[in-house]
Amino acid sequence: INLEYSNHAGYHILRYSVKKDKPGIIYALSKAIFEQVQGNIYGLNSYVHRNDSAENYIFFASPLKEEECHNKLENYLNSNYRIV
């Protein structure tokens, strides 16, 4: 899972790739964004490749400062989900 911040637009991007997309991943990550960093999610993108791997993007804004937002979300995800 990769967490980016787009400075010119003022939003964060949570990007993750999976070898095979599983039900519930987007829900779990969206819930974490909303609950942990008061994220306002306004966009999702998903690219599924021919081999069934997928690249997913969640675009969101947060009232927290960039570093605080990233630290809280990364700490939560690392302690609650197996991130490889």
Side-chain angles (χ1 to χ4, degrees), residues 16-74:
Y16 69 97
S17 300
V18 290
K19 290 182 183 174
K20 185 156 179 88
D21 212 6
K22 306 240 182 200
I25 295 174
I26 290 177
Y27 172 78
L29 293 173
S30 298
K31 185 176 180 198
I33 289 168
F34 177 75
E35 291 179 350
Q36 298 302 310
V37 297
Q38 299 83 44
N40 182 14
I41 298 169
Y42 64 90
L44 299 168
N45 265 347
S46 184
Y47 302 99
V48 179
H49 305 284
R50 291 178 192 237
N51 63 358
D52 285 337
S53 66
E55 236 175 276
N56 300 282
Y57 299 83
I58 302 174
F59 301 89
F60 66 98
S62 173
L64 304 178
K65 297 206 181 287
E66 177 185 353
E67 188 174 332
E68 181 184 5
C69 176
H70 287 214
N71 287 340
K72 282 184 84 168
L73 197 53
E74 286 177 1

